[in-house]
Amino acid sequence: MDLRRLPWVRRLAADYLADFGRLSSFFTGDPGDRAAWRRMVGSLQGSGHPRSEIADILAGQQRQRAAPPEALASAERLRDPRAVAVLTGQQAGLFGGPLYTLLKALTALDLANRLNAAHGVPAVAVFWVEAEDHDWAEVASCSVLDADLALRKVTLAPPPGAGTVPVASITLAEGTLAAIDDLAAKLPPTEFTPALLTDLRLAYLPGTGVVEAFARWLETTLGGRGLVVFDSSDPAAKPLARPVFAREIERPGHTSGLARAAGRELVALGYHAQVAAHEDAAALFYLDGHRQPIRSQDGRFTVGQTSRPAEALFEEVERAPHRFSPNVLLRPIVQDTLFPTVSYVAGPNELGYLAQLGKVYEHFGLTMPLIAPRASLTLLDAAAARFLTRYEVALETLAPQDEASLNALLQSQLPAGVEESFQHARQAIAERMGAVIEAVPAIDPTLEGAARSTLGRIQHDLDTFHGKVLQAAKRRDDTLRRQYHRTRAQAFPEGHAQERSVGWVYFLNRYGPALVDRLIEAFPLDAGRHWVLTI
């Protein structure tokens, strides 16, 4: 189905996918244009990226996590001066996070494989774990569907520091095992459940870092396919980003100003500005156990609540770059400084802030990679898919949590004569009473209001009776009603898009390893389309 039919897809993302020309001035090239890929690959051949250094850092992370050999081999390919990377990323969500996280990683793997085949270059899929955010609530929960298809949340008890320090600084406590037990209680048991829980307990061992656990779990699922997982908080990588940090400190507020200007252009074109950056803010945070914003005023910097001379901050960037962390505007710049990024796989909301970064890339002397939309899909069982097909129900009509679309469906199943009779009755009442309303003023003008009230009561009574007929239809066709609610519970749990609300651990539990195999078989999924897939 056309992605634009989905109610949560904003106009900017819709136009990017369906009418790229409207937004071409904000991006490097159209990901639907083969020539754009060829140009981008060519521009990265032999580029000055720190390939060996980043490969060494990746190898160190992978050894610590005991990553699969296929993932190790993929990381090694980055040493090749011809190599390119397809990046995507997300925060370290509990048990892998929502389904769209898996879809991002699979899209990156698919693009890397296609680039390798089409251009004969080593192409590596890299998942950038956003590890230095301190928003614990963003990563601490995972939702699954229980045996009754009700959305159930599993939440990790906050370890020390949760909510105040970067997630990368947090270590899993003993309560992690209780969260896995809670997940086990809420997941419908299948033949795959025991192995799934064993793997989760190995990845989420108490004493393991939250980010490391997420990376281990992602590698358990996709490392064998060659996915490279990068922990962006690794202090060893920060010296490679030192030039970016230094340039941001040299011209504090410039990055924010460029993003704000692009935001104003987008708004003038009828779109939205995703990021409203502060005028005096550097696009950096300072890490001192917490993540402190950095602001500039009168030649000095304010780090959190502490005033610092500019020279002191310059010196610290040079001496201790691991104490700095990019914000949402600078993260792509750091990412594409470290990796020879040919493409970034983005979700619909990410397109909004990336559209504000074209001039920021120019400011740092980089070319923005092609922005490839991630796959978008809803996973339904065979019964739900048959229901949609048999009754020609549009998927998006299931999103509202009222029964309007169910009533419309039931009404469409009524014998034609019943609904036709109601329409005739409404028309006849309106015509006959309309004649009465026109006639009575000649006798007594004050009776016109009474006549109109009488018409309203008759119409109301008829509508009430029509509702009773629909209720009778509901009772008569209770099977249809159950099918409707069952399908809606899968596609839009509590009214939210499945890919944004249900953790992919739920689907691994239901389908086992076949989930990844089937999704890979389904690729490539056309950009601009939302797919309904049955396994």
Side-chain angles (χ1 to χ4, degrees), residues 247 333 359-367:
R247 186 163 180 78
I333 305 302
K359 296 296 184 184
V360 176
Y361 270 90
E362 291 180 17
H363 171 57
F364 285 93
L366 293 173
T367 299

Side-chain angles (χ1 to χ4, degrees), residues 56-384:
D56 288 341
I57 292 166
L58 286 168
Q61 293 185 12
Q62 290 174 321
R63 282 194 299 270
Q64 181 176 339
R65 298 190 299 258
E70 296 86 352
L72 296 171
S74 289
E76 278 297 304
R77 285 198 289 273
L78 285 170
R79 297 184 190 276
D80 191 321
R82 300 174 303 121
V84 297
V86 177
L87 267 84
T88 192
Q90 198 61 41
Q91 293 172 306
L94 183 63
F95 306 143
L99 176 60
Y100 71 74
T101 301
L102 180 66
L103 296 178
K104 287 175 117 180
L106 287 170
T107 305
L109 281 168
D110 178 67
L111 282 175
N113 290 335
R114 283 194 274 164
L115 279 168
N116 191 21
H119 299 279
V121 295
V124 180
V126 178
F127 193 101
W128 176 289
V129 184
E130 185 51 54
E132 292 177 330
D133 197 339
H134 63 274
D135 191 345
W136 177 250
E138 286 283 328
V139 303
S141 296
C142 175
S143 294
V144 297
L145 299 176
D146 66 13
D148 297 320
L149 296 177
L151 193 65
R152 305 285 300 277
K153 182 179 286 189
V154 177
T155 301
L156 193 62
T164 60
V165 302
V167 172
S169 304
I170 298 176
T171 300
L172 293 171
E174 290 297 326
T176 308
L177 298 178
I180 296 175
D181 290 341
D182 187 30
L183 176 71
K186 289 171 178 172
L187 283 172
T190 69
E191 61 185 290
F192 309 112
T193 304
L196 173 77
L197 295 175
T198 296
D199 288 341
L200 279 173
R201 290 187 177 104
L202 289 173
Y204 284 83
L205 280 171
T208 303
V210 169
V211 173
E212 181 181 339
F214 173 87
R216 282 179 182 269
W217 179 233
L218 203 53
E219 285 171 336
T220 298
T221 307
L222 295 179
R225 303 280 180 176
L227 183 70
V228 174
V229 182
F230 176 65
D231 175 356
S232 63
S233 68
D234 192 337
K238 293 299 180 75
L240 303 180
R242 184 189 287 116
V244 176
F245 298 161
R247 186 163 180 78
E248 181 63 18
I249 292 296
E250 285 171 4
R251 299 190 65 182
H254 189 64
T255 295
S256 300
L258 293 172
R260 284 199 314 276
R264 289 192 294 270
E265 290 181 48
L266 289 167
V267 170
L269 292 171
Y271 299 109
H272 70 286
Q274 186 82 7
V275 179
H278 293 288
E279 184 175 355
D280 61 349
L284 282 172
F285 292 101
Y286 184 80
L287 303 175
D288 59 356
H290 295 79
R291 194 171 72 144
Q292 307 281 9
I294 301 174
R295 297 197 175 183
S296 171
Q297 188 174 16
D298 300 328
R300 294 180 66 85
F301 288 93
T302 300
V303 179
Q305 301 298 318
T306 304
S307 179
R308 300 272 301 273
E311 296 78 9
L313 214 57
F314 279 125
E315 188 274 334
E316 194 159 9
V317 166
E318 291 298 319
R319 176 175 51 83
H322 63 278
R323 292 181 181 165
F324 295 84
S325 174
N327 75 359
V328 66
L329 298 178
L330 205 62
R331 189 270 305 156
I333 305 302
V334 172
Q335 161 196 293
D336 301 330
T337 298
L338 270 55
F339 292 92
T341 311
V342 66
S343 175
Y344 180 79
V345 175
N349 290 334
E350 287 176 292
L351 287 170
Y353 79 80
L354 290 168
Q356 295 180 239
L357 298 186
K359 296 296 184 184
V360 176
Y361 270 90
E362 291 180 17
H363 171 57
F364 285 93
L366 293 173
T367 299
M368 178 188 281
L370 296 175
I371 309 302
R374 68 161 171 82
S376 178
L377 60 86
T378 299
L379 281 166
L380 298 180
D381 63 22

Side-chain angles (χ1 to χ4, degrees), residues 438-453:
E438 289 181 3
V440 293
I443 301 171
D444 184 346
T446 65
L447 293 176
E448 181 180 352
R452 292 186 182 278
S453 297

Side-chain angles (χ1 to χ4, degrees), residues 54 59 138 168 189 208 257 277 324 358 429 455 487 511:
I54 200 67
E138 286 283 328
T208 303
F324 295 84
I429 289 168
L455 172 60
T487 304
Y511 300 111

